[in-house]
Amino acid sequence: MGLSVQSNSVAEESHKHTHKIFLLCNYILLGAASACIFLTLSLRLIPSLIGFFLILLHILTISGAIFGCAAASSGAGKWYGAHMVATVLTAIFQGSVSVLIFTRTAEFLGNLKSYVREEDGIVILRLGGGLCIAIFCLEWVVLTLAFFLKYYAYVDGDDGMKRRAKVQDQEDLKDWPWPFQV
């Protein structure tokens, strides 16, 4: 009665599927952060320091997504920790910005020193806030997927640390010495 918990083909298929979802989430992050930059620029915020920091946050999100795609595609795991820390920090800041946008929209718009009419600025700012919420959620999905990719790399690694749980047949155990047959 040979049962195996997970065969190699199923594990490789799961790894490839996780990798594709990870890349897709990073591409969506790229698009959402780029859209946030364009929405922020549509508020004409170039002279504002807060507007600069808002654009810088989205640039950091874009660079983190590009870095995550590059690291996942190359298979190099030495920058894994830096990617995780950067992703967590950008996710926290994206969540904080979205909370500020939705709780204090008029005050936040006033601090941005926008030249757009207030009604139009509020709509544009709330669109950006919705994208910030989407980015926040996607960042945590990316973190989870990056963890699973690192786990798969550890399990399937070439360093002899392969750990596959298998239940062997009774016939296979007959060739082993008595203490191992139990």
Side-chain angles (χ1 to χ4, degrees), residues 20-50:
K20 286 179 183 179
I21 293 172
F22 178 77
L23 289 175
L24 178 68
C25 286
N26 275 312
Y27 292 146
I28 293 171
L29 272 174
L30 284 169
S34 299
C36 278
I37 287 176
F38 288 119
L39 284 172
T40 304
L41 289 175
S42 71
L43 290 170
R44 299 185 201 134
L45 302 175
I46 300 301
S48 170
L49 182 64
I50 295 175

CSV table of all heavy atoms in Angstrom, one decimal, residues 20-50:
chain,number,residue,atom,x,y,z
A,20,LYS,N,4.1,31.6,-11.0
A,20,LYS,CA,3.3,32.4,-11.9
A,20,LYS,C,2.4,33.4,-11.2
A,20,LYS,O,2.3,34.6,-11.7
A,20,LYS,CB,2.5,31.5,-12.8
A,20,LYS,CG,3.3,30.8,-13.9
A,20,LYS,CD,2.5,29.9,-14.7
A,20,LYS,CE,3.3,29.1,-15.7
A,20,LYS,NZ,2.5,28.2,-16.5
A,21,ILE,N,1.8,33.0,-10.1
A,21,ILE,CA,0.9,33.9,-9.4
A,21,ILE,C,1.7,35.0,-8.8
A,21,ILE,O,1.3,36.2,-8.7
A,21,ILE,CB,0.1,33.1,-8.3
A,21,ILE,CG1,-0.9,32.2,-9.0
A,21,ILE,CG2,-0.6,34.1,-7.4
A,21,ILE,CD1,-1.6,31.2,-8.0
A,22,PHE,N,2.9,34.7,-8.3
A,22,PHE,CA,3.8,35.7,-7.7
A,22,PHE,C,4.2,36.7,-8.7
A,22,PHE,O,4.1,37.9,-8.5
A,22,PHE,CB,5.1,35.0,-7.2
A,22,PHE,CG,6.1,35.9,-6.6
A,22,PHE,CD1,6.0,36.5,-5.3
A,22,PHE,CD2,7.3,36.2,-7.3
A,22,PHE,CE1,6.9,37.3,-4.8
A,22,PHE,CE2,8.2,37.1,-6.8
A,22,PHE,CZ,8.0,37.6,-5.5
A,23,LEU,N,4.6,36.3,-9.9
A,23,LEU,CA,4.9,37.3,-11.0
A,23,LEU,C,3.7,38.1,-11.4
A,23,LEU,O,3.8,39.3,-11.6
A,23,LEU,CB,5.5,36.5,-12.2
A,23,LEU,CG,6.9,35.9,-12.0
A,23,LEU,CD1,7.3,35.1,-13.3
A,23,LEU,CD2,7.9,37.0,-11.7
A,24,LEU,N,2.5,37.5,-11.5
A,24,LEU,CA,1.3,38.2,-11.9
A,24,LEU,C,1.0,39.3,-10.8
A,24,LEU,O,0.7,40.4,-11.2
A,24,LEU,CB,0.1,37.2,-12.0
A,24,LEU,CG,-1.2,37.9,-12.4
A,24,LEU,CD1,-1.1,38.4,-13.8
A,24,LEU,CD2,-2.3,36.8,-12.3
A,25,CYS,N,1.1,38.9,-9.6
A,25,CYS,CA,0.8,39.9,-8.5
A,25,CYS,C,1.8,41.1,-8.6
A,25,CYS,O,1.4,42.2,-8.4
A,25,CYS,CB,0.9,39.2,-7.1
A,25,CYS,SG,-0.6,38.2,-6.8
A,26,ASN,N,3.1,40.8,-8.8
A,26,ASN,CA,4.1,41.8,-9.0
A,26,ASN,C,3.8,42.7,-10.2
A,26,ASN,O,4.0,43.9,-10.1
A,26,ASN,CB,5.5,41.3,-9.1
A,26,ASN,CG,6.1,41.0,-7.7
A,26,ASN,OD1,6.0,41.8,-6.8
A,26,ASN,ND2,6.6,39.8,-7.5
A,27,TYR,N,3.3,42.1,-11.3
A,27,TYR,CA,3.0,42.9,-12.4
A,27,TYR,C,1.7,43.8,-12.2
A,27,TYR,O,1.7,45.0,-12.6
A,27,TYR,CB,2.7,42.1,-13.7
A,27,TYR,CG,3.9,41.4,-14.2
A,27,TYR,CD1,3.8,40.1,-14.7
A,27,TYR,CD2,5.2,42.0,-14.1
A,27,TYR,CE1,5.0,39.4,-15.2
A,27,TYR,CE2,6.3,41.3,-14.6
A,27,TYR,CZ,6.2,40.0,-15.1
A,27,TYR,OH,7.3,39.4,-15.6
A,28,ILE,N,0.8,43.3,-11.4
A,28,ILE,CA,-0.4,44.1,-11.0
A,28,ILE,C,0.1,45.2,-10.1
A,28,ILE,O,-0.4,46.4,-10.2
A,28,ILE,CB,-1.5,43.2,-10.4
A,28,ILE,CG1,-2.0,42.3,-11.4
A,28,ILE,CG2,-2.6,44.1,-9.8
A,28,ILE,CD1,-3.0,41.2,-10.8
A,29,LEU,N,1.0,44.9,-9.2
A,29,LEU,CA,1.6,46.0,-8.3
A,29,LEU,C,2.3,47.1,-9.1
A,29,LEU,O,2.1,48.3,-8.8
A,29,LEU,CB,2.6,45.4,-7.4
A,29,LEU,CG,2.1,44.8,-6.1
A,29,LEU,CD1,3.2,44.2,-5.3
A,29,LEU,CD2,1.5,45.9,-5.2
A,30,LEU,N,3.0,46.7,-10.2
A,30,LEU,CA,3.6,47.7,-11.1
A,30,LEU,C,2.6,48.6,-11.7
A,30,LEU,O,2.7,49.8,-11.7
A,30,LEU,CB,4.4,47.0,-12.2
A,30,LEU,CG,5.7,46.4,-11.8
A,30,LEU,CD1,6.2,45.5,-12.9
A,30,LEU,CD2,6.7,47.4,-11.5
A,31,GLY,N,1.5,48.0,-12.2
A,31,GLY,CA,0.5,48.8,-12.8
A,31,GLY,C,-0.2,49.7,-11.8
A,31,GLY,O,-0.5,50.9,-12.1
A,32,ALA,N,-0.6,49.2,-10.7
A,32,ALA,CA,-1.3,50.0,-9.7
A,32,ALA,C,-0.4,51.1,-9.2
A,32,ALA,O,-0.9,52.2,-9.0
A,32,ALA,CB,-1.8,49.1,-8.5
A,33,ALA,N,0.8,50.9,-8.9
A,33,ALA,CA,1.7,51.9,-8.4
A,33,ALA,C,1.9,53.0,-9.5
A,33,ALA,O,2.0,54.2,-9.2
A,33,ALA,CB,3.0,51.3,-7.9
A,34,SER,N,2.1,52.5,-10.7
A,34,SER,CA,2.2,53.5,-11.8
A,34,SER,C,1.0,54.4,-12.0
A,34,SER,O,1.0,55.6,-12.2
A,34,SER,CB,2.5,52.8,-13.1
A,34,SER,OG,3.7,52.0,-13.1
A,35,ALA,N,-0.2,53.7,-11.8
A,35,ALA,CA,-1.4,54.5,-11.9
A,35,ALA,C,-1.5,55.5,-10.7
A,35,ALA,O,-2.0,56.6,-10.9
A,35,ALA,CB,-2.6,53.5,-11.9
A,36,CYS,N,-1.1,55.1,-9.6
A,36,CYS,CA,-1.1,56.0,-8.4
A,36,CYS,C,-0.2,57.2,-8.7
A,36,CYS,O,-0.5,58.4,-8.3
A,36,CYS,CB,-0.6,55.3,-7.2
A,36,CYS,SG,-1.9,54.4,-6.4
A,37,ILE,N,1.0,57.0,-9.3
A,37,ILE,CA,1.9,58.1,-9.7
A,37,ILE,C,1.2,59.0,-10.6
A,37,ILE,O,1.2,60.3,-10.4
A,37,ILE,CB,3.2,57.6,-10.3
A,37,ILE,CG1,4.0,56.9,-9.2
A,37,ILE,CG2,4.0,58.7,-10.9
A,37,ILE,CD1,5.3,56.3,-9.6
A,38,PHE,N,0.5,58.5,-11.6
A,38,PHE,CA,-0.2,59.4,-12.6
A,38,PHE,C,-1.3,60.1,-11.9
A,38,PHE,O,-1.6,61.3,-12.3
A,38,PHE,CB,-0.6,58.6,-13.8
A,38,PHE,CG,0.5,58.2,-14.7
A,38,PHE,CD1,0.8,56.9,-14.9
A,38,PHE,CD2,1.4,59.2,-15.3
A,38,PHE,CE1,1.9,56.5,-15.7
A,38,PHE,CE2,2.4,58.8,-16.1
A,38,PHE,CZ,2.7,57.5,-16.3
A,39,LEU,N,-2.1,59.5,-11.1
A,39,LEU,CA,-3.1,60.2,-10.3
A,39,LEU,C,-2.6,61.3,-9.4
A,39,LEU,O,-3.1,62.4,-9.3
A,39,LEU,CB,-3.9,59.2,-9.5
A,39,LEU,CG,-4.9,58.3,-10.3
A,39,LEU,CD1,-5.5,57.2,-9.3
A,39,LEU,CD2,-6.0,59.1,-10.9
A,40,THR,N,-1.4,61.0,-8.8
A,40,THR,CA,-0.8,62.0,-7.9
A,40,THR,C,-0.3,63.2,-8.8
A,40,THR,O,-0.5,64.3,-8.4
A,40,THR,CB,0.3,61.4,-7.1
A,40,THR,OG1,-0.2,60.3,-6.4
A,40,THR,CG2,0.9,62.4,-6.2
A,41,LEU,N,0.3,62.9,-9.9
A,41,LEU,CA,0.7,64.0,-10.8
A,41,LEU,C,-0.4,64.8,-11.4
A,41,LEU,O,-0.3,65.9,-11.7
A,41,LEU,CB,1.6,63.4,-11.9
A,41,LEU,CG,3.0,62.9,-11.5
A,41,LEU,CD1,3.7,62.2,-12.7
A,41,LEU,CD2,3.8,64.0,-10.9
A,42,SER,N,-1.6,64.1,-11.5
A,42,SER,CA,-2.7,64.8,-12.1
A,42,SER,C,-3.3,65.9,-11.1
A,42,SER,O,-4.0,66.8,-11.4
A,42,SER,CB,-3.9,63.9,-12.5
A,42,SER,OG,-4.5,63.3,-11.3
A,43,LEU,N,-2.9,65.7,-9.8
A,43,LEU,CA,-3.2,66.7,-8.8
A,43,LEU,C,-2.3,67.9,-8.8
A,43,LEU,O,-2.5,68.9,-8.1
A,43,LEU,CB,-3.2,66.1,-7.4
A,43,LEU,CG,-4.3,65.1,-7.1
A,43,LEU,CD1,-4.0,64.4,-5.8
A,43,LEU,CD2,-5.7,65.8,-7.1
A,44,ARG,N,-1.3,67.9,-9.7
A,44,ARG,CA,-0.3,69.0,-9.9
A,44,ARG,C,0.4,69.2,-8.5
A,44,ARG,O,0.3,70.3,-8.0
A,44,ARG,CB,-0.9,70.2,-10.4
A,44,ARG,CG,-1.5,70.0,-11.7
A,44,ARG,CD,-2.0,71.3,-12.3
A,44,ARG,NE,-3.0,71.0,-13.3
A,44,ARG,CZ,-4.2,71.6,-13.4
A,44,ARG,NH1,-4.5,72.5,-12.6
A,44,ARG,NH2,-5.0,71.2,-14.4
A,45,LEU,N,1.1,68.2,-8.0
A,45,LEU,CA,1.7,68.3,-6.7
A,45,LEU,C,3.2,68.5,-6.7
A,45,LEU,O,3.8,68.3,-5.7
A,45,LEU,CB,1.4,67.0,-5.9
A,45,LEU,CG,-0.1,66.7,-5.8
A,45,LEU,CD1,-0.2,65.3,-5.1
A,45,LEU,CD2,-0.7,67.7,-4.9
A,46,ILE,N,3.8,68.9,-7.8
A,46,ILE,CA,5.2,69.0,-7.9
A,46,ILE,C,5.8,69.9,-6.8
A,46,ILE,O,6.8,69.6,-6.2
A,46,ILE,CB,5.6,69.5,-9.3
A,46,ILE,CG1,5.2,68.5,-10.4
A,46,ILE,CG2,7.1,69.6,-9.4
A,46,ILE,CD1,5.7,67.1,-10.2
A,47,PRO,N,5.2,71.1,-6.5
A,47,PRO,CA,5.9,71.9,-5.5
A,47,PRO,C,5.7,71.4,-4.1
A,47,PRO,O,6.4,71.9,-3.2
A,47,PRO,CB,5.2,73.3,-5.6
A,47,PRO,CG,4.2,73.2,-6.6
A,47,PRO,CD,4.1,71.8,-7.1
A,48,SER,N,4.9,70.5,-3.8
A,48,SER,CA,4.6,70.0,-2.5
A,48,SER,C,5.5,68.9,-2.0
A,48,SER,O,5.8,68.0,-2.7
A,48,SER,CB,3.1,69.4,-2.5
A,48,SER,OG,2.9,68.8,-1.2
A,49,LEU,N,6.0,69.1,-0.8
A,49,LEU,CA,6.9,68.1,-0.2
A,49,LEU,C,6.2,66.8,0.1
A,49,LEU,O,6.7,65.7,-0.2
A,49,LEU,CB,7.5,68.6,1.1
A,49,LEU,CG,8.5,67.7,1.8
A,49,LEU,CD1,9.7,67.5,0.9
A,49,LEU,CD2,8.9,68.3,3.1
A,50,ILE,N,4.9,66.9,0.5
A,50,ILE,CA,4.1,65.7,0.8
A,50,ILE,C,3.8,64.9,-0.5
A,50,ILE,O,3.8,63.7,-0.6
A,50,ILE,CB,2.8,66.0,1.6
A,50,ILE,CG1,3.2,66.6,3.0
A,50,ILE,CG2,1.9,64.8,1.7
A,50,ILE,CD1,2.1,67.1,3.8
